[in-house]
Each structure stands twice: as structure tokens, then as C-alpha cells.
Amino acid sequence: MSISQIMLFRSKPWKSVPLLVHHVDSAHPLQLLRTKRIYTRTAVFTAPKSFCVAIIQDITGPSLNKHLVLNILIHTQDIQTVVRRSKSVAVTAEVKCYLQNIVTFLRLHRAVDGGITPRATKYFDALITCLAPLHGLRFVTPSLVDLAARKVYPHRIVLTVPDRERSLQYGSDLAAVSAYLEGVTPESIVEDVIASVETPL
């Protein structure tokens, strides 16, 4: 199948906003994934920091090139195999506690205003058991929990604004809070939490 269109979205915690709909060949999605840019005859489109790609395929065209298939396409059989193997993955009580501590620390982080939902936690819990077989393991390690947190939460975290930051209730200065929040990103919050939570041995 050839690719007739590519749609570029800006990812938000609550919605996806289409930024670009463009007729392309099969080389464009791979170029976008590697460089975060699409070059056309008249312009250069730059992807935002957080984005997703929806590919619309034409069944009458030629097949996709192998590099694109290897980079972004996953066969149904592969997904089913990972899901089947994930059910036999062992998760110790210590690792489970580590996962829950990360969730708790994320919810209580002073720069987080929302996004750490029960659904996100469910996906977090499921992903750690799926990552184990992908890494050739039959058990979950703390490093896999860290990796799953980096995949599940950054695009879901809703950053707080200075006048809603919790410490203001206890007398913090608004200017100091604004300075603290300046430059804080969802990614830096996740890294801060991972560094703060004690890792099980």
C-alpha cells in the first residue's frame, strides 16, 4: 500500500490538534520520524516537540518501502505474542510498591495540576509487564518501571500555573513560585520523581 496522506498532530493531554494534512510518498513519514521535519516543494514543516503521525494508505498503490515497515509498523502477531508473554511476567511486591510510589509522587508534585489519572496508572501497570518480554526478561526490573513512566506520563501531565501552585496556601511568594515553575516540563517532572523515589534493590 502506498501512502496518500500524512496527518501530523500536536499531542495534548485532552485532545489532538491537526497541524498538517499533506499528500506524500512513503519516504516522508520516515523523514518526519528521524528529523521532525517534512520538506515539500514550497515549504518546510517542523513538528512540535510532542506529536503523533496518522498515515492514510491507498490500497491501489505500490507497497511500502522496507525501511518504513521496519521503523513504524508492528504486525498483529507481534502484539499478540507480547501480550501473551506479558501475562507470565513476574512483578515482585517491592517493584509494585516502587510503581505505586512513582504514581503518588507524580500526583503530589508541586508542578502537576492533573493528568495522573486511574486510566494512566492502568496503562502504566500494563506497560511494565509488556516491556519485560521485549527486553528478554520474565520479570520486571525497576529500570523497566522508569522506562514505562517516561513513556506513559509526559504527554498526560497537566502543568500547574503559578497562582494554582499548592505551596501558595502555606505562604509561598508568588514571584518565587513563578520562578520555580519557569522552564519546568512534563519530562523534567518525571525525571525528578524517578530520582526522588527510592529504588528497590
Side-chain angles (χ1 to χ4, degrees):
M1 294 183 290
S2 66
I3 297 174
S4 59
Q5 288 185 324
I6 184 169
M7 299 182 69
L8 177 63
F9 295 89
R10 182 188 302 275
S11 298
K12 296 281 188 182
W14 63 94
K15 63 181 178 178
S16 293
V17 181
L19 296 180
L20 171 67
V21 179
H22 186 62
H23 291 271
V24 296
D25 58 40
S26 60
H28 279 86
L30 190 58
Q31 180 186 71
L32 174 62
L33 292 171
R34 288 182 173 174
T35 67
K36 294 190 176 181
R37 291 184 177 87
I38 291 182
Y39 297 88
T40 69
R41 294 179 180 177
T42 57
V44 177
F45 296 95
T46 302
K49 185 174 182 179
S50 178
F51 71 97
C52 63
V53 176
I55 297 173
I56 303 172
Q57 297 177 322
D58 179 5
I59 60 173
T60 63
S63 61
L64 297 172
N65 69 58
K66 66 177 183 179
H67 298 293
L68 185 59
V69 172
L70 290 174
N71 276 272
I72 69 170
L73 296 185
I74 302 175
H75 295 288
T76 304
Q77 301 92 318
D78 296 332
I79 296 174
Q80 292 172 344
T81 299
V82 170
V83 170
R84 186 178 67 253
R85 291 180 179 176
S86 71
K87 293 178 180 178
S88 61
V89 169
V91 183
T92 65
E94 291 81 5
V95 169
K96 192 73 172 179
C97 182
Y98 180 59
L99 180 149
Q100 294 299 332
N101 285 341
I102 286 177
V103 174
T104 301
F105 274 56
L106 283 170
R107 284 182 178 151
L108 296 177
H109 195 283
R110 61 186 297 188
V112 173
D113 195 37
I116 315 302
T117 62
R119 183 180 293 273
T121 302
K122 181 180 178 181
Y123 293 152
F124 185 27
D125 194 43
L127 183 57
I128 64 168
T129 57
C130 290
L131 287 173
L134 289 175
H135 288 79
L137 299 172
R138 296 182 180 179
F139 54 90
V140 175
T141 65
S143 62
L144 290 182
V145 176
D146 296 346
L147 177 59
R150 294 182 177 108
K151 300 297 182 183
V152 171
Y153 288 111
H155 66 284
R156 290 183 165 89
I157 291 174
V158 178
L159 297 175
T160 192
V161 292
D163 58 1
R164 284 178 54 86
E165 201 272 330
R166 298 184 189 98
S167 68
L168 290 176
Q169 302 175 39
Y170 309 103
S172 292
D173 180 68
L174 181 59
V177 170
S178 299
Y180 167 76
L181 293 176
E182 187 176 353
V184 172
T185 65
E187 291 80 7
S188 68
I189 291 172
V190 173
E191 294 303 324
D192 184 30
V193 166
I194 289 172
S196 301
V197 178
E198 184 177 356
T199 305
L201 298 177

